[in-house]
Amino acid sequence: MRRFILWGGLLVIGLDMYAQGLFLDSLLQKPADSSLISNDQWYWSEIVLSSSSAYIELPGWSHVVAYSEEEKQVTGTMLSGHSKSYYSFRNIIEKPDQNTLLLKMRGAHPLFELDQTTTIEYTSQEWRLEERQRLLAHGLFFGILIVMALYNLMIYFAVKDQSYLWYVLSIVGFGLYMGFYYGFTFEHFWPSNPHWNAYFFALIIPFTNICRILFTQTYLHTDQYVPKWNLFFRMILISYLVPIGMWLMSWLQIRDWLIETNYVIGFLGTMTMTAITLTSIIVYLRGYKPALWFLVAFALFNIGGILFIFRELNYLPDNFLTRYVIQIGAVAQVVLFSLGLSDRLNRTRKMLASEKIEKEKLAREKEIEKKRLIELQRNELEQQVTERTKELEETLTQLKISASDLRELNEVKSRLFSIISHELKSPLTTVDSYLNLFINHYNKLSQEELSDLSDKTRFSLQNLTLLMDNLLLWSRLQQDNLTFNPIEIDLRKVVDKSVKLFSLLLEQKKIKLKIEHEVDDTILMADKDMLEFVIRNLLHNSIKFTPKHGQVKIAARSINNLSNISIEDSGIGMTNQMIVQILNKGEGFTRNGTEQEKGSGIGLLMCKDFVEKNGGSLDIKIQKGTIVSFTVPLCK
């Protein structure tokens, strides 16, 4: 079996190399035709047509002008589809009423300089049959290619195997080449760009062969089974940059190397197909079973290509089978490749499943042995472990309680000392300086200066008192020494008490305070000390961060069984980071007010805690200034 595969593969390689050599040699042959008359790159020829013909094909020429007594028709491979007299990728003209036709022909490129007149005549019935066969055969062919490409593309997305991706791209490349060869790309994709169509094959063939090489490397695991051939494939991949560069120079009309590009593509294509076939044989002989699908698929495709080339060179008769044998071979290759990929995938899954089962078996055996040893040791140490565990648990529980209490006390102490050392120093220093002015410079100060100094001293003492209240409440809150005692509270009385406390500050900064009338009618069920603390701190913050001649508004509105109390100011506002820091992270911060007033950094955090203890929530929004709102249960 292996010997048969080896000799069969070598035979296919030899025939493929021979057929491609003949095909390349035929590309530039220019048999002379004495019936042509040359006139400055245009050739003139007169042909006599049979009376039964309806359509005449003049293959190969880039520009053709057909003259008759009734009309002039134009066609050619370098004309756009819409400028041809008969819309087709082929050089077709309709037969005039007379049987004699004068032709004016030109080749805009050496590939089209045929130096001969080849005419193919069709009756109406023959032409319709020819077109129907072409459309039917290629419709089935391209349909199968599209279905298989989409099928394998979905498998690629499912299993992420690179082989499927390169295989799909090779299918697309081959489909585009066949569409080019039979004129479908020109008729349906770029009928207005004949120049691109004429040079398209020199790009799509290298692209397709590159994808085939990459597919071969990933499918056959050449880096593992045949590392030297894998290196050879890399060299061929780099070599394909040469025809691509030559194609680009030709297409951009910098220098026309299309004929030379044709030879390079043919040579590299022969090397590619030969290397792929030999590699698949070697990999299969080395024990990789999925390579058999690969080898048979490529053999069928190569056989189809060989028969197709022999038909093009008139070594085989032109019939439906020889005309579409390459499509049949390509479909067979696509189907076999898909089956091969599926077989490889199934083998891989089975191998992985076997490895998994083997690993699970070993793991179970180890687990059983481990359990047996553990059972033996457990019986001996169970009593000692139980006693020691109980003692350790009791000790650990006591240590955790002690450590937690100690950590909380240390945190409260550190925070309290930090606030006292930083925040009390400033207001005490201010009061001390004001008192020194009173004592040592009383006679030197005017009445207005004395009044201003008195107000500032009083303001500093108020800040100091507020700070001390905050610190005391905060320390009690940290130690859980606060008792929650909800009672009926008139919101207006609490607001008035706080306003009275800050009346001097409001007057000094000339801030307009507005209290909405809903505040008068709001009776709350809350802890009095906590509520007064929240109102006092929020109002103080609004005044502190509102510049002179600003405005502060206090409002309340009922929502279900809650009262939403808001304090809005026209001050400097807050950043989103500050709001997140307070509401989400529970972290305090401090910054100076508009008149450089100091703060403790814990007021808003305590407000949030007190509001939540009373069954509400605190929210902060930014508009022109800041709106701090919180909810408190209403008295039923």
Side-chain angles (χ1 to χ4, degrees):
M1 178 64 180
R2 292 190 172 189
R3 185 175 298 176
F4 171 76
I5 291 173
L6 178 62
W7 285 108
L10 293 175
L11 177 63
V12 170
I13 291 171
L15 288 173
D16 183 59
M17 295 177 68
Y18 174 71
Q20 292 203 40
L22 291 175
F23 188 66
L24 285 172
D25 287 339
S26 69
L27 287 175
L28 299 179
Q29 288 181 356
K30 300 181 181 178
D33 190 339
S34 59
S35 64
L36 293 177
I37 302 174
S38 175
N39 181 13
D40 194 19
Q41 295 185 346
W42 286 91
Y43 294 90
W44 292 84
S45 178
E46 185 177 30
I47 58 174
V48 178
L49 308 172
S50 64
S51 58
S52 62
S53 63
Y55 298 93
I56 301 96
E57 181 179 4
L58 300 160
W61 293 96
S62 63
H63 298 80
V64 177
V65 183
Y67 297 95
S68 63
E69 294 180 357
E70 298 89 1
E71 60 180 345
K72 178 180 75 171
Q73 300 182 62
V74 295
T75 187
T77 56
M78 294 301 288
L79 295 179
S80 64
H82 301 290
S83 62
K84 293 184 178 183
S85 299
Y86 186 88
Y87 185 86
S88 173
F89 81 100
R90 299 156 72 176
N91 292 347
I92 299 294
I93 59 175
E94 297 183 75
K95 177 182 175 296
D97 294 336
Q98 65 192 66
N99 293 332
T100 303
L101 199 62
L102 183 62
L103 300 176
K104 179 183 177 183
M105 299 166 292
R106 183 171 69 128
H109 187 275
L111 283 178
F112 308 119
E113 293 267 353
L114 303 181
D115 290 353
Q116 63 175 349
T117 306
T118 301
T119 58
I120 304 173
E121 300 183 38
Y122 301 94
T123 64
S124 296
Q125 184 176 359
E126 288 173 344
W127 177 251
R128 287 195 297 270
L129 179 61
E130 173 95 3
E131 284 295 288
R132 279 201 299 269
Q133 287 181 350
R134 182 175 77 98
L135 295 175
L136 176 61
H138 287 94
L140 291 172
F141 171 67
F142 288 119
I144 292 173
L145 288 188
I146 292 171
V147 169
M148 298 309 294
L150 291 175
Y151 168 72
N152 287 280
L153 184 63
M154 288 188 290
I155 295 178
Y156 165 71
F157 286 127
V159 301
K160 303 300 181 185
D161 187 339
Q162 290 291 332
S163 301
Y164 287 92
L165 177 61
W166 299 125
Y167 177 51
V168 169
L169 291 177
S170 66
I171 293 176
V172 172
F174 180 73
L176 286 173
Y177 173 73
M178 296 306 294
F180 156 80
Y181 190 85
Y182 288 95
F184 292 103
T185 56
F186 177 74
E187 290 181 352
H188 301 290
F189 292 166
W190 43 77
S192 301
N193 200 339
H195 177 76
W196 165 259
N197 187 70
Y199 290 81
F200 177 66
F201 78 95
L203 173 65
I204 196 61
I205 293 177
F207 169 79
T208 304
N209 286 339
I210 288 172
C211 293
R212 282 174 177 166
I213 292 174
L214 294 171
F215 171 57
T216 303
Q217 288 180 302
T218 53
Y219 180 88
L220 296 179
H221 301 293
T222 55
D223 56 341
Q224 177 182 350
Y225 288 97
V226 282
K228 292 183 178 179
W229 281 100
N230 188 61
L231 180 61
F232 180 70
F233 279 131
R234 291 181 181 176
M235 295 172 62
I236 296 180
L237 286 174
I238 296 173
S239 301
Y240 270 111
L241 295 175
V242 175
I244 292 175
M246 297 172 70
W247 162 82
L248 185 62
M249 297 283 285
S250 303
W251 179 58
L252 296 176
Q253 298 181 337
I254 298 174
R255 183 167 182 176
D256 204 328
W257 281 333
L258 192 59
I259 295 176
E260 293 80 0
T261 306
N262 225 356
Y263 279 117
V264 175
I265 290 174
F267 173 75
L268 291 177
T270 302
M271 297 290 292
T272 300
M273 293 302 178
T274 304
I276 289 175
T277 306
L278 285 174
T279 302
S280 60
I281 294 173
I282 296 171
V283 172
Y284 174 73
L285 293 177
R286 291 184 178 178
Y288 187 59
K289 300 302 181 183
L292 182 61
W293 294 97
F294 191 93
L295 177 61
V296 175
F298 252 101
L300 290 176
F301 176 75
N302 286 336
I303 291 171
I306 292 167
L307 296 178
F308 172 78
I309 292 173
F310 283 176
R311 201 264 312 174
E312 289 288 313
L313 298 174
N314 297 321
Y315 291 172
L316 291 175
D318 183 14
N319 52 47
F320 184 84
L321 179 62
T322 58
R323 189 178 307 158
Y324 299 108
V325 66
I326 191 169
Q327 287 88 338
I328 297 172
V331 169
Q333 183 196 46
V334 168
V335 173
L336 287 173
F337 272 155
S338 299
L339 292 174
L341 286 167
S342 300
D343 178 63
R344 193 184 76 147
L345 182 61
N346 290 332
R347 287 174 182 270
T348 303
R349 287 177 174 173
K350 288 179 180 179
M351 181 180 68
L352 292 175
S354 299
E355 291 178 355
K356 184 178 179 181
I357 291 172
E358 187 66 25
K359 288 180 180 179
E360 290 177 352
K361 181 180 178 182
L362 291 174
R364 283 196 300 269
E365 291 176 354
K366 289 181 180 180
E367 187 68 23
I368 291 172
E369 180 66 18
K370 183 179 178 180
K371 287 181 178 179
R372 188 181 67 82
L373 293 174
I374 291 174
E375 185 68 24
L376 291 174
Q377 295 175 359
R378 186 180 65 83
N379 293 332
E380 297 175 359
L381 302 174
E382 184 176 14
Q383 186 174 0
Q384 297 178 14
V385 170
T386 302
E387 295 175 356
R388 293 290 179 87
T389 302
K390 185 176 181 181
E391 293 175 0
L392 287 173
E393 286 179 352
E394 293 176 355
T395 305
L396 184 61
T397 302
Q398 293 176 358
L399 287 174
K400 285 182 177 179
I401 295 173
S402 300
S404 177
D405 293 342
L406 183 59
R407 185 168 50 253
E408 290 178 2
L409 288 174
N410 283 332
E411 289 176 356
V412 171
K413 181 188 69 174
S414 299
R415 187 75 180 272
L416 187 59
F417 285 168
S418 175
I419 293 172
I420 290 173
S421 63
H422 289 85
E423 306 301 335
L424 290 183
K425 183 178 180 181
S426 179
L428 286 174
T429 302
T430 302
V431 171
D432 181 64
S433 62
Y434 289 162
L435 290 175
N436 282 332
L437 286 173
F438 267 118
I439 295 170
N440 298 322
H441 303 283
Y442 178 80
N443 296 329
K444 299 177 181 179
L445 298 174
S446 64
Q447 190 65 31
E448 184 180 351
E449 289 174 336
L450 288 172
S451 176
D452 182 58
L453 192 59
S454 299
D455 292 340
K456 289 181 178 179
T457 304
R458 181 183 175 190
F459 172 62
S460 296
L461 289 172
Q462 285 181 345
N463 280 341
L464 183 59
T465 302
L466 181 61
L467 178 59
M468 292 300 296
D469 288 343
N470 288 353
L471 289 175
L472 290 173
L473 281 173
W474 178 78
S475 63
R476 291 173 60 192
L477 178 64
Q478 296 300 313
Q479 298 176 14
D480 291 329
N481 289 334
L482 280 178
T483 57
F484 177 63
N485 183 26
I487 59 172
E488 292 185 12
I489 303 173
D490 187 339
L491 178 60
R492 182 59 191 241
K493 291 181 179 180
V494 177
V495 170
D496 288 343
K497 184 177 180 180
S498 297
V499 170
K500 183 178 179 181
L501 180 63
F502 300 119
S503 58
L504 178 60
L505 183 56
L506 288 167
E507 183 180 349
Q508 283 181 341
K509 298 186 76 171
K510 295 181 174 54
I511 292 175
K512 181 181 179 182
L513 177 65
K514 182 180 180 182
I515 302 175
E516 299 289 343
H517 67 85
E518 289 88 350
V519 175
D520 299 337
D521 303 326
T522 302
I523 306 298
L524 306 174
M525 178 60 69
D527 184 283
K528 183 179 179 182
D529 293 335
M530 294 183 182
L531 182 63
E532 287 181 350
F533 177 87
V534 172
I535 297 293
R536 184 169 65 248
N537 271 270
L538 295 182
L539 180 58
H540 181 255
N541 282 345
S542 294
I543 297 171
K544 181 167 65 173
F545 295 111
T546 299
K548 290 183 178 181
H549 305 287
Q551 181 176 335
V552 176
K553 182 175 74 173
I554 303 175
R557 58 191 180 92
S558 298
I559 303 175
N560 296 328
N561 294 324
L562 298 174
S563 175
N564 186 283
I565 303 164
S566 64
I567 299 179
E568 178 181 355
D569 61 62
S570 58
I572 58 176
M574 299 173 67
T575 64
N576 289 326
Q577 183 180 359
M578 294 177 182
I579 295 174
V580 171
Q581 189 173 345
I582 293 171
L583 297 182
N584 297 340
K585 297 183 179 180
E587 299 175 358
F589 66 91
T590 180
R591 60 173 178 167
N592 293 339
T594 57
E595 298 296 323
Q596 301 304 310
E597 301 98 325
K598 301 290 184 178
S600 65
I602 59 172
L604 270 177
L605 287 179
M606 293 177 65
C607 289
K608 181 175 180 292
D609 289 341
F610 286 163
V611 168
E612 291 174 353
K613 281 185 178 294
N614 281 272
S617 62
L618 186 138
D619 187 36
I620 303 174
K621 294 181 180 177
I622 305 171
Q623 290 185 356
K624 291 182 179 179
T626 305
I627 303 176
V628 182
S629 61
F630 63 94
T631 56
V632 181
L634 289 165
C635 182
K636 297 181 180 179

